[in-house]
Amino acid sequence: MALQWLSLVAAIWLQSINGTNSNFPAYSSELKRLLSLSQLQLNNLAFASDAGKLLGFISGVAASHLPLWLVLLVGSLLGLIGYGIQFLFVTNQIPSLSYAHVFLLTILAGNSICWINTVCYIITINNFPLDRHVAVGITTSYIGLSAEIYTVLVSVFFPSSSSPNKAAKAYLLLNSVSPLAVCVLGAPIVRCVNNGMSRRLGVGFVVMFVITIGTGIFAVASSFDKISSGILSPLVVVIGMGLFLLAPLAVPLVEKIMERFQKKCWLRREGRVCDVSVVEGGGGGGERTEEGRKDGDQESGSGGGGGGEGPEEIGVKEMVKRLEFWLYFCVYLFGATLGLVYLNNLGQIAESRGFPKTSALVSLSSSFGFFGRLLPSLLAHIFSRNKCMASTPACIAIIMAPMSASFFLLLNKTTLSLYISTAVIGLCTGAITSIAVSTTTELFGTKNFSVNHNIIVANIPFGSFLFGDMAALLYRSKINTPDGRCLSSKLLSLFAAAILTF
């Protein structure tokens, strides 16, 4: 049981540093200047980061044939190459790169994320089969913190990075080395160790939720602090975030203590003498474990197609022939992907509004994205016993409503509307992304999940290219300064109206 929880902790650490593409807006304007790019070319670079997901199925195939620790290291090395060479270029340590070179390196770096994500999904789904919705939701929520984590690390370790050029160097350096360091640290405990004793709504998940919610509150508070007074120093934020990331290590210990306490209480209620070792081995608790397994199977079956049966196991060829796949694909495209396009354009959106704190907006969207990814699993944890939780497609439809309203709120040119819209879009995008993992397993099963889900998220680069270029063309049409920038609050209105009309 301890190894199961440690694998979940490893997945949390891996996800927390795996959102390297989420901090792209923090240095995109500097890349635009260094490479003398048009807004359309810059948006194509954002697309390139997402285009790595088009090759994400390779990581799924590799995970089916290679040890997970090796898949993890391959992903981190791809990121090291992709971001590392760009860092050497920005610091003038290698000859100048062409736009095509940077484009290909960005694709490579974007693909590295798929390898690490695939490993995290596999270990959480396999190690917590009865609680996979909750486990996946908790781990994926931490990828929403990546931009916040990288922002505060840059502030602490590169205090002179206030200029755009120095900030670009700092972000690219951290993007290249941080995932490799954490992957090497987590590789020994990243393994499938399910022993069939997973229990729904265990004490460990309650503790994990408390820690995760506390982490999110701290992240949101630090984000608002950056926007307003700046009372908290970057060092305090880094220390606080580090403690919250280490806190899940206590969960295996708490789970073990509570397990022993519950067994003693059970023995006292029975009023008979039992061999504790038999109970610990599963003899005395077999009936309870089997009952929990039946309940879990029924709930899993209800999500995948009803009755007491589990979801149908479907391969890629069969999946793409089904209407439900294309409906799901399009909903994701006009939901989470649309939100990601907005977040990728935060640098230019802030610039068009004359808003100087781009990193603060990135941090705000990251923090609320964290809660968005956590919210579905928290609701599943609360309502699963009552069987009153809405289906995942219904949840996605509900989330789309406030997201659409936030785009229309951008028509208001006040700074407050920019804050609110960015926070809500980050929240809804994170929620849909988290729900999508459970939806894939419910619709198409878990056996081929690693390949199936990477095929589904291929809509992200497609949407990034389509919506991103639409935004770039609007930006270019409204350029009104000698240096080729658009300083107009109307940009957001046009951006929102165009993508929603489409």
Side-chain angles (χ1 to χ4, degrees):
M1 184 64 71
L3 286 176
Q4 285 179 278
W5 287 110
L6 286 176
S7 70
L8 190 70
V9 174
I12 286 174
W13 292 348
L14 291 169
Q15 294 283 40
S16 66
I17 52 84
N18 197 33
T20 48
N21 60 344
S22 61
N23 58 45
F24 178 77
Y27 61 87
S28 60
S29 297
E30 180 62 13
L31 281 181
K32 180 180 179 182
R33 186 189 68 81
L34 289 174
L35 294 169
S36 300
L37 303 178
S38 67
Q39 185 61 35
L40 187 61
Q41 288 176 312
L42 183 63
N43 275 273
N44 286 337
L45 273 187
F47 155 73
S49 180
D50 293 327
K53 294 180 174 65
L54 290 173
L55 302 175
F57 69 93
I58 298 176
S59 63
V61 175
S64 301
H65 298 87
L66 299 175
L68 292 182
W69 63 266
L70 183 57
V71 176
L72 200 62
L73 293 180
V74 169
S76 61
L77 289 174
L78 291 177
L80 178 66
I81 296 171
Y83 288 113
I85 295 178
Q86 292 185 65
F87 168 75
L88 296 177
F89 160 66
V90 172
T91 54
N92 298 316
Q93 298 184 43
I94 59 174
S96 180
L97 296 175
S98 67
Y99 176 73
H101 290 146
V102 176
F103 188 88
L104 292 174
L105 288 170
T106 305
I107 291 178
L108 188 66
N111 182 249
S112 69
I113 296 173
C114 298
W115 292 70
I116 299 175
N117 273 341
T118 297
V119 172
C120 292
Y121 291 151
I122 288 175
I123 61 176
T124 50
I125 289 174
N126 284 279
N127 290 352
F128 298 91
L130 304 185
D131 306 288
R132 63 172 180 265
H133 295 222
V134 178
V136 170
I138 290 175
T139 55
T140 56
S141 66
Y142 277 85
I143 200 171
L145 280 185
S146 288
E148 167 73 3
I149 290 172
Y150 281 110
T151 298
V152 296
L153 287 177
V154 167
S155 300
V156 170
F157 295 108
F158 303 92
S160 60
S161 61
S162 54
S163 68
N165 180 262
K166 292 180 179 178
K169 296 176 183 177
Y171 277 106
L172 287 170
L173 177 61
L174 287 176
N175 282 355
S176 61
V177 300
S178 299
L180 178 62
V182 178
C183 285
V184 170
L185 181 65
I189 54 177
V190 172
R191 63 185 70 179
C192 293
V193 291
N194 176 38
N195 56 14
M197 295 293 290
S198 180
R199 294 172 301 169
R200 191 168 293 278
L201 299 177
V203 176
F205 280 114
V206 175
V207 178
M208 190 69 77
F209 270 121
V210 172
I211 294 172
T212 305
I213 293 172
T215 305
I217 293 173
F218 181 79
V220 170
S222 63
S223 299
F224 281 117
D225 183 71
K226 293 185 186 72
I227 294 174
S228 55
S229 56
I231 298 175
L232 298 176
S233 69
L235 182 60
V236 171
V237 177
V238 167
I239 293 174
M241 195 65 69
L243 291 176
F244 275 113
L245 289 175
L246 290 174
L249 286 173
V251 174
L253 179 61
V254 173
E255 179 73 12
K256 191 67 176 178
I257 292 173
M258 292 303 299
E259 184 181 359
R260 289 184 176 275
F261 176 75
Q262 290 171 355
K263 287 173 181 175
K264 289 181 180 179
C265 291
W266 179 78
L267 290 173
R268 289 171 183 169
R269 286 199 306 269
E270 289 295 313
R272 61 189 181 191
V273 180
C274 294
D275 186 354
V276 178
S277 63
V278 174
V279 177
E280 292 180 351
E287 183 178 350
R288 182 178 55 184
T289 303
E290 183 65 26
E291 181 182 350
R293 185 177 294 112
K294 288 179 181 178
D295 290 343
D297 290 343
Q298 290 175 359
E299 183 167 340
S300 177
S302 64
E309 299 176 359
E312 183 182 357
E313 299 294 344
I314 299 173
V316 174
K317 291 182 180 180
E318 180 64 25
M319 180 180 71
V320 298
K321 294 178 183 178
R322 297 199 170 193
L323 176 62
E324 59 200 48
F325 164 77
W326 292 106
L327 290 174
Y328 178 27
F329 188 91
C330 291
V331 168
Y332 200 115
L333 174 66
F334 290 96
T337 297
L338 189 58
L340 289 173
V341 173
Y342 172 83
L343 299 177
N344 284 340
N345 282 274
L346 275 180
Q348 282 62 56
I349 290 171
E351 186 179 78
S352 69
R353 286 262 183 135
F355 184 75
K357 298 181 179 180
T358 302
S359 61
L361 276 180
V362 173
S363 179
L364 183 68
S365 65
S366 175
S367 300
F368 276 88
F370 171 85
F371 270 117
R373 291 170 185 267
L374 178 65
L375 189 60
S377 60
L378 180 61
L379 293 177
H381 181 90
I382 294 173
F383 294 113
S384 60
R385 280 183 175 176
N386 301 324
K387 308 284 186 178
C388 59
M389 185 68 180
S391 66
T392 51
C395 289
I396 294 176
I398 293 170
I399 294 168
M400 293 280 280
M403 186 174 183
S404 300
S406 297
F407 278 112
F408 283 110
L409 182 61
L410 292 171
L411 297 172
N412 189 313
K413 62 182 180 180
T414 63
T415 302
L416 179 61
S417 68
L418 179 62
Y419 290 153
I420 295 174
S421 295
T422 300
V424 174
I425 292 171
L427 182 78
C428 295
T429 300
I432 296 174
T433 303
S434 177
I435 293 173
V437 177
S438 298
T439 304
T440 303
T441 59
E442 290 179 0
L443 292 177
F444 311 117
T446 59
K447 183 178 179 181
N448 302 297
F449 170 82
S450 58
V451 178
N452 289 348
H453 195 65
N454 279 303
I455 295 296
I456 289 167
V457 298
N459 77 82
I460 294 177
F462 176 74
S464 179
F465 177 78
L466 179 64
F467 298 130
D469 279 7
M470 289 175 62
L473 292 173
L474 287 170
Y475 186 94
R476 187 171 65 180
S477 68
K478 296 298 177 180
I479 289 175
N480 53 10
T481 61
D483 59 357
R485 292 184 299 158
C486 170
L487 296 178
S488 172
S489 61
K490 294 181 179 180
L491 172 66
L492 287 177
S493 304
L494 292 168
F495 177 79
I499 57 182
L500 288 172
T501 300
F502 182 88

